[in-house]
Amino acid sequence: MSGDSAGQHNTQTHGNNSPAIGFVGKLFLSIFVGDVVEFADRVKHWGGWNWPPFLLVVLLGSYALISAPDGPPHQFVYVYLAIAGSLVLALARLAHPRSDRLPRHWRVLISAAAVMLAVAGTVGMDYLSDHGEIDVSGRTRLTPRGEVTTGSELILVVTGPTDRAHLRLKLTISDANEDEGFCKPESRYAAQLRDHASTRVEEVRSDRTIDFPLGGLQGQIEVQITLWTDEGCQMNVSVAEAVLHD
């Protein structure tokens, strides 16, 4: 008695169109399976588990940059370095998810470091928003304007709000007649917060920095300035720097 062996099956097609149908079926299966395999290889190459840290780093970095306050650029250096470092580490892990050069625990630490740097940058930016320096040079008004002489009284007004505890101030004194230029070395001034004699400073030279504690002062700030120079000298006084800080 003869017959086919167990487990052996033959698939046959009949009819004029059978070869074409079989070819199309094989072609469709090849394309579909090939696409799935290619997609799986890409997922394996990019390392799907590295995407969440990368996206978190991008989200935190974007928030920090958008919420950056106004202020002197130097105070943002460390925040920008933290954000840049987090992006570099996150991109490195995304581009080389299975690098054989590093043990697994080091790869995990790099991803964790990227997220921690992004968090540090965001926290740092929030701190600067609440306590960082604010350049208020553009909010100052000095009167009287123009040339002044020895003994002249000037008022410097910094418009509000007063969001910090101190005012750092630097004034420039220059000769009205630049061809002479002999009055500036002998020029100096005294300054104090208006109606706060305890804040008075004396013998301040041009381009020297002074600092006033505001003591909870709200609204605009007024600084009284008295200029001292040689007799007959005509001087110009201008604001070189005005910064609010804690």
Side-chain angles (χ1 to χ4, degrees), residues 2-43:
S2 62
D4 294 336
S5 60
Q8 182 178 356
H9 300 281
N10 293 322
T11 302
Q12 297 181 353
T13 58
H14 302 279
N16 295 331
N17 296 325
S18 296
I21 294 173
F23 175 76
V24 171
K26 290 179 181 180
L27 179 63
F28 174 79
L29 183 62
S30 175
I31 293 174
F32 177 77
V33 173
D35 288 344
V36 172
V37 171
E38 182 180 359
F39 176 76
D41 288 342
R42 289 180 179 178
V43 171

Side-chain angles (χ1 to χ4, degrees), residues 75-102:
Q75 68 179 340
F76 299 104
V77 171
Y78 294 107
V79 173
Y80 289 151
L81 286 176
I83 295 173
S86 68
L87 285 174
V88 169
L89 292 177
L91 283 172
R93 291 295 298 121
L94 194 63
H96 303 284
R98 295 179 180 273
S99 176
D100 295 331
R101 298 180 180 179
L102 292 174

Side-chain angles (χ1 to χ4, degrees), residues 79 89 169 174 185 202:
V79 173
L89 292 177
L169 186 63
S174 58
E202 302 277 359

Side-chain angles (χ1 to χ4, degrees), residues 161-167 193 196 199 212-221 244-246:
T162 305
D163 296 324
R164 299 294 185 265
H166 293 79
L167 170 66
L193 293 179
H196 291 75
T199 63
F212 295 108
L214 300 178
L217 182 66
Q218 301 295 321
Q220 71 178 19
I221 305 167
L244 294 174
H245 68 98
D246 283 339

Side-chain angles (χ1 to χ4, degrees), residues 44 56 73 106 109 116 124 130 154 171-173 181 185-186 189 198 221 230:
K44 182 179 178 180
L56 181 59
W106 279 110
L109 286 176
M116 291 176 64
D130 295 333
L154 301 93
L171 300 181
T172 296
I173 306 172
E186 301 302 322
Y189 67 91
S198 61
I221 305 167
D230 288 342

Side-chain angles (χ1 to χ4, degrees), residues 176-196:
N177 188 347
E178 296 181 357
D179 294 335
E180 296 178 358
F182 57 84
C183 292
K184 179 177 178 178
E186 301 302 322
S187 299
R188 59 206 184 279
Y189 67 91
Q192 69 174 64
L193 293 179
R194 190 167 189 172
D195 300 327
H196 291 75

